[in-house]
């Protein structure tokens, strides 16, 4: 399998400056947010391979809340060192990694906001199945490019990149509800669960009219909107999928 890892190992370039490689390090276990949804999809006591584990922010929450054994793979040396200092087993490498053999030893292969940074996410998903035990699953979170904020900006002729979020300048791929499901099917996976996250801290929720609301009211409204119109207000797709029997 060719190297299909992230091209952002060095941090990427945003507005002429190097992106902060540690900018994604503030995850929490809120059940409406992507990491909380990921936790809800991982069995207790699972052995998890976290591909593109970053600083280990998500990995630690999975480890602690799911009582899981987590092994990370991270192409950025700076991020990998931070994750190691958090007590995680992390290999500084692209995926696949020679130090982690593809011998079906994991219950879950996790891609937490990783596939959108990859040149060939379909090939990555195909390769991930070799790491899964029988009955194992992949768990994926990936931004929703059909979010209302992106649609609103397109209406005004804007498609502006940002340092983080849905419009992160280091994203290479973009997915809607339909296209992410087609990606899973093309790689030979059956979707067992498909949830949508809120992301209260999205930059677009800091402006008018959102900033006129108290935080608790704002968050309650966002949760309601995600439930009613998930494809429009959901910030990230969070998916659990298993390999289709007989799929290559």
């Amino acid at each position: 399998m060719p190297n299909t890892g992230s091209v952002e190992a060095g941090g990427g370039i945003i507005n002429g400056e190097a992106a902060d490689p540690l900018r994604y390090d503030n995850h929490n276990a809120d059940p409406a947010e992507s990491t909380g949804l990921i936790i809800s999809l991982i069995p207790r006591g699972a052995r998890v391979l976290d591909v593109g584990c970053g600083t280990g922010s998500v990995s630690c929450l999975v480890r602690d809340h799911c009582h899981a054994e987590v092994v990370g793979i991270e192409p950025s040396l700076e991020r990998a060192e931070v994750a190691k200092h958090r007590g995680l087993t992390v290999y500084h490498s692209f995926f696949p990694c020679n130090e982690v053999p593809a011998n079906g030893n994991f219950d879950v292969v996790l891609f937490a906001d990783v596939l959108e940074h990859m040149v060939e996410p379909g090939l990555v998903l195909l390769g991930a199945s070799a790491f899964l035990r029988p009955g194992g699953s992949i768990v994926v979170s990936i931004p929703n490019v059909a979010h209302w904020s992106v649609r609103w900006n397109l209406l005004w002729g804007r498609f502006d990149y940002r340092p983080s979020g849905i419009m992160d300048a280091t994203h290479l791929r973009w997915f809607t509800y339909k296209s992410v499901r087609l990606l899973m099917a093309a790689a030979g996976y059956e979707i067992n669960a498909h949830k949508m996250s809120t992301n209260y801290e999205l930059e677009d929720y800091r402006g008018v009219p959102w900033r006129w609301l108290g935080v608790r009211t704002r968050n309650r409204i966002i949760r309601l909107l995600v439930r009613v119109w998930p494809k429009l207000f959901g910030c990230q797709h969070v998916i659990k999928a298993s390999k289709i029997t007989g799929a290559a």
Side-chain angles (χ1 to χ4, degrees):
M1 179 178 171
N3 180 351
T4 50
S6 166
V7 298
E8 199 207 342
I13 301 296
I14 298 174
N15 296 329
E17 298 181 0
D20 179 5
L22 307 182
R23 66 194 184 279
Y24 292 116
D25 191 46
N26 58 348
H27 299 90
N28 61 70
D30 184 319
E33 297 286 33
S34 62
T35 304
L37 294 174
I38 287 169
I39 289 169
S40 74
L41 297 175
I42 294 178
R44 187 181 179 89
R47 190 161 192 258
V48 179
L49 178 62
D50 188 356
V51 178
C53 67
T55 63
S57 177
V58 173
S59 305
C60 287
L61 289 168
V62 169
R63 178 193 64 192
D64 297 342
H65 285 263
C66 301
H67 300 278
E69 177 190 351
V70 182
V71 176
I73 299 174
E74 172 54 45
S76 164
L77 179 59
E78 187 173 0
R79 290 192 290 254
E81 289 299 320
V82 173
K84 288 178 182 178
H85 287 151
R86 286 175 162 160
L88 296 166
T89 299
V90 179
Y91 296 95
H92 172 224
S93 173
F94 285 97
F95 180 77
C97 170
N98 292 333
E99 288 82 2
V100 183
N103 54 7
N105 275 337
F106 293 92
D107 300 295
V108 174
V109 178
L110 172 62
F111 297 94
D113 293 332
V114 167
L115 294 177
E116 64 272 18
H117 297 273
M118 292 183 166
V119 178
E120 293 289 352
L123 290 179
V124 173
L125 292 176
L126 281 170
S129 63
F131 293 82
L132 291 173
R133 291 171 176 164
S137 303
I138 61 169
V139 174
V140 173
S141 63
I142 193 165
N144 173 31
V145 76
H147 189 265
W148 70 266
S149 61
V150 180
R151 299 191 197 200
W152 175 255
N153 282 306
L154 281 172
L155 181 64
W156 296 101
R158 296 190 297 261
F159 196 76
D160 300 328
Y161 293 101
R162 296 178 178 179
S164 62
I166 298 173
M167 295 301 300
D168 187 312
T170 62
H171 289 177
L172 300 179
R173 297 285 183 166
W174 307 92
F175 294 93
T176 63
Y177 186 91
K178 181 178 179 180
S179 65
V180 76
R181 295 177 74 89
L182 289 174
L183 174 70
M184 297 296 155
Y189 290 93
E190 178 183 13
I191 293 177
N192 310 124
H194 191 160
K195 304 182 179 184
M196 304 296 286
S197 74
T198 52
N199 198 344
Y200 310 121
E201 300 306 318
L202 201 65
E203 183 178 338
D204 299 273
Y205 290 128
R206 300 173 193 166
V208 174
W210 305 99
R211 68 184 182 194
W212 295 338
L213 306 171
V215 172
R216 293 180 63 182
T217 300
R218 181 201 66 177
N219 292 356
R220 186 168 61 250
I221 291 172
I222 295 171
R223 286 196 300 270
L224 175 62
L225 291 171
V226 171
R227 285 198 299 270
V228 176
W229 293 293
K231 298 176 186 178
L232 181 61
F233 286 92
C235 184
Q236 289 147 299
H237 305 278
V238 182
I239 292 172
K240 183 175 184 178
S242 54
K243 195 69 176 176
I244 298 172
T245 303

